[in-house]
Amino acid sequence: MSETTDLAQVAPAAPDFSGWTCPAPLRDQERIVMGHGGGGALSAELVEHVFAPAFGGRVLSSLADSAAVELGGARLAFSTDSFVVRPLFFPGGSIGDLAVNGTVNDLAMSGARAAYLSCGFILEEGVEMAVVARVAEALGAAARTAGVEVATGDTKVVEAGRGDGIYLNTSGIGLIPQGVDIRPQRATPGDVVLVSGPIGEHGVAVLSVREGLEFGVGVKSDCAALGSLVEAMLAVTPDIHVLRDPTRGGLASALGEIAVAASVGVTLRERDIPVPPEVANACAILGLDPMYVANEGKLVAFVPPAHAEAVLAAMRAHPLGAGAAAIGECVKAHPGMVTVRTALGGTRVVDLPIGEQLPRIC
Amino acid sequence: MSETTDLAQVAPAAPDFSGWTCPAPLRDQERIVMGHGGGGALSAELVEHVFAPAFGGRVLSSLADSAAVELGGARLAFSTDSFVVRPLFFPGGSIGDLAVNGTVNDLAMSGARAAYLSCGFILEEGVEMAVVARVAEALGAAARTAGVEVATGDTKVVEAGRGDGIYLNTSGIGLIPQGVDIRPQRATPGDVVLVSGPIGEHGVAVLSVREGLEFGVGVKSDCAALGSLVEAMLAVTPDIHVLRDPTRGGLASALGEIAVAASVGVTLRERDIPVPPEVANACAILGLDPMYVANEGKLVAFVPPAHAEAVLAAMRAHPLGAGAAAIGECVKAHPGMVTVRTALGGTRVVDLPIGEQLPRIC
C-alpha cells in the first residue's frame, strides 16, 4: 500500500443497480415483500425469474420438495429449508422440532429415509443461552425420533436488532430406494388423492400464540417426521406417483403445484377433507381457509387406483396416518387447476395463493 | 373447540427457563454475544457444552470443516455454512461468491470435490430485487466456476428490521476419493505445514468497506474455490494428513484447532508466513494481527516430510497456490499449542482467539 491512499481504488460497497431490469416480469419487481417467502405464486415467480436463471442447472426448476441427485453410484435425495417461525415455541413444538421434521419430510416426499442432517444457526446477539439450549435439545430429540443424525453444523451471530432470536437452516440427505420414482410430474389422471390426516393444525397452533393475537384454541401443531409413514406406504407398493407435505400455503398450494407440474386436474370432495372442528372454528373467526393453512406432519399422495385402498389401509394402520382419507382424484379435465365439489353440490376453483395468509409460520 | 375458550389450555409461547442451568460452564452463560459466532474459543464452548450434548451423535464433536458420512456405499463429505457478511458486496466478491466458495472449500478440506449445493435465502422485507438478483447471479457464477450444481433451494422472508438484507446458507455434498483420509486428528509430528498463499486479504477487504470504517487499501478478497487446488495436491500423494481453510479466526485459529484436535504442537517461522504489505499496513493501522484475519481462498496443509516438497511444487504450479510456502512444522513438544519464531529470534505463543476480531466477516 502506498502511504498516500488513492480513494479511487476503493471498491464500492454495493454495485450500481440503476440500469438493472428483472429478466422477466415479476408481480413486485422493485423490492422483496413478505409474500415472496410465502410459498405461493410470488415465491414461485422469484424462483422462476430470478433464482433459476441465475443458478442454471436442471434441478431447481423442478418443483419437488427435494432434489434427486446421483453421487458415487447412489441415488440421493438432498433438501434444504430455513426456519424463521415466530414465536420460537408454540403448542406442540418449537423451531427445533420444525427444523428436523421439515427437512426429514422433504426427503420423505421423494421416498427417501433421511440419514444425515446439517444444522446452521443464525443467533441474535442477546438471546438467552437457555433458549438456545432448549431449541438445541428439541432439535436433538426430534432427530433421534426421526432416526436421523445431525452430522455437521455452523453458528453465526448477528447484532441485536438484525435477527429475531434464532433462525435455523437444516439440510438433509437420504437414500432413494431402488424402483421408487416419486415426483410431482408423475401425477396421472385416475390417481386417487389421499391425505394422511386432518389439516390446518400447525398454522392455527402457531397463530394462537402469536404476539397480539393470542387466543385459546387447544390446537397443537401436528409437527412430526413422516419417514416411517412413507416407508409403510412404500411397503404396499413402490408405485406411488406423488408425495407432498402441505406446509406453507397448505393443501391448496401443494395440490395446485402438482396440478401445474404434471399438467393434470385435481378434483376434491369437500366433505371428505378432514378438518378438525377446532381448526374450522379458529379459521372462521380469523377469516382463514383451512385449505391454505400450513401443516407440518401431513402428506398428500397420488396413488394409482389399483393400489389406493391398500395404501390407505397401511396409512391408517400407522400412528401418523390414523386419520387418513381419500379426498379426490386426479383428472384429465382442467389441467393445472384444482377444483372442489362443495357439500352443497356446487364446484369451486381452488386458487394458488399469491403471497401468504400467515407469515413466518415455519 | 368449545364456544367458551378455556385460557388455561393455551400453551405458553415460551417455556419457563428459570430453573435451567447450562450443562457445563460457559464463559458467558446467560446470553449469546457476538463472539459466539467468531469461530474462536466461545464458538467452541457453545458447540461443546450446548450443541454436542443436545444433538448427540459422533460427528459434531469432531473439529473438521465437513463431516465424512457413509451413504449407499459411498463415502461422502457433508458440510453447511451460514453467511451473514456485512456489507453484502466487497472488493473481490459478494455474499453470493462467499456462500459457494465457503462450502466448496469445507468439502475440499476433506479431499472431496463438491458435487451439489443447497442454498437457503433469508431475505429482509424491503431489500431491493436487484440486490437479490445480483447476489443470485454471483452465486450462480461462482458455482459454475467451482463446477458444483445448485440442486435445491429455499427462500424465507422476515419483516424489515428482523434481518439485514440477505442471509444465506449453503450446504454441500461431495465424494471423498478412495484412499484419502484427511482430518485434523491426523496431524503428525514431523509433518511440514504449508500455506497456499498470502494471508489476511478477505478480512481486510471486507473491513475496508464496512460502514463507518471505509478506508482505501486496494486489497481484494481472496474468495475462491479450492477444489481444483486440492485435486492437484492429491495427485502428488493421497497421503495428505490435514487440510484446513483458515476462515474466521484466521491462520492462528485453524492451526490452534488442529494442534488441539491431534494433541500435537505446531512451530511456525514468522519470516516465512506470507503477508502482503497492504494487509500488514492495514492491520498495523487497525490494531489487528494478520494471523487472526479471515481468508476465503487459502488453505493450510500438514504433509509428511517425504512428500512436502512435491506437494508444495504442485501448489505453486496451480493459479490458486502460486504464493504457497512452507511455514513451519508439526512437533511433539507443547501439544495443543502453536508457537512462532519471530524474525528477531524470539518465540511467542499463538493463542486461540476467544471471540472474534471482526464480526460478520463471512
Side-chain angles (χ1 to χ4, degrees), chain A residues 167-229:
Chain A
Y167 297 146
L168 247 172
N169 175 284
T170 54
S171 301
I173 49 177
L175 266 185
I176 302 175
Q178 289 236 330
V180 168
D181 180 20
I182 301 173
R183 51 195 165 86
Q185 291 78 5
R186 288 199 70 213
T188 308
D191 283 353
V192 178
V193 179
L194 307 174
V195 66
S196 65
I199 62 168
E201 292 167 329
H202 176 72
V204 167
V206 172
L207 219 57
S208 74
V209 289
R210 201 50 80 76
E211 312 149 67
L213 202 71
E214 294 90 344
F215 58 94
V217 65
V219 174
K220 284 190 176 176
S221 169
D222 58 339
C223 188
L226 298 171
S228 61
L229 175 62

Side-chain angles (χ1 to χ4, degrees), chain B residues 193-194 244 246 250-261 264-266 268 273 291 300-302 327 336-338 350 352:
Chain B
V193 179
L194 307 174
R244 190 102 178 169
L251 192 63
S253 296
L255 293 175
E257 285 170 18
I258 294 165
V260 169
V264 296
V266 175
L268 304 175
I273 301 171
M291 291 277 288
V300 286
F302 284 54
I327 59 171
M337 192 183 286
V338 179
V350 180
L352 262 181

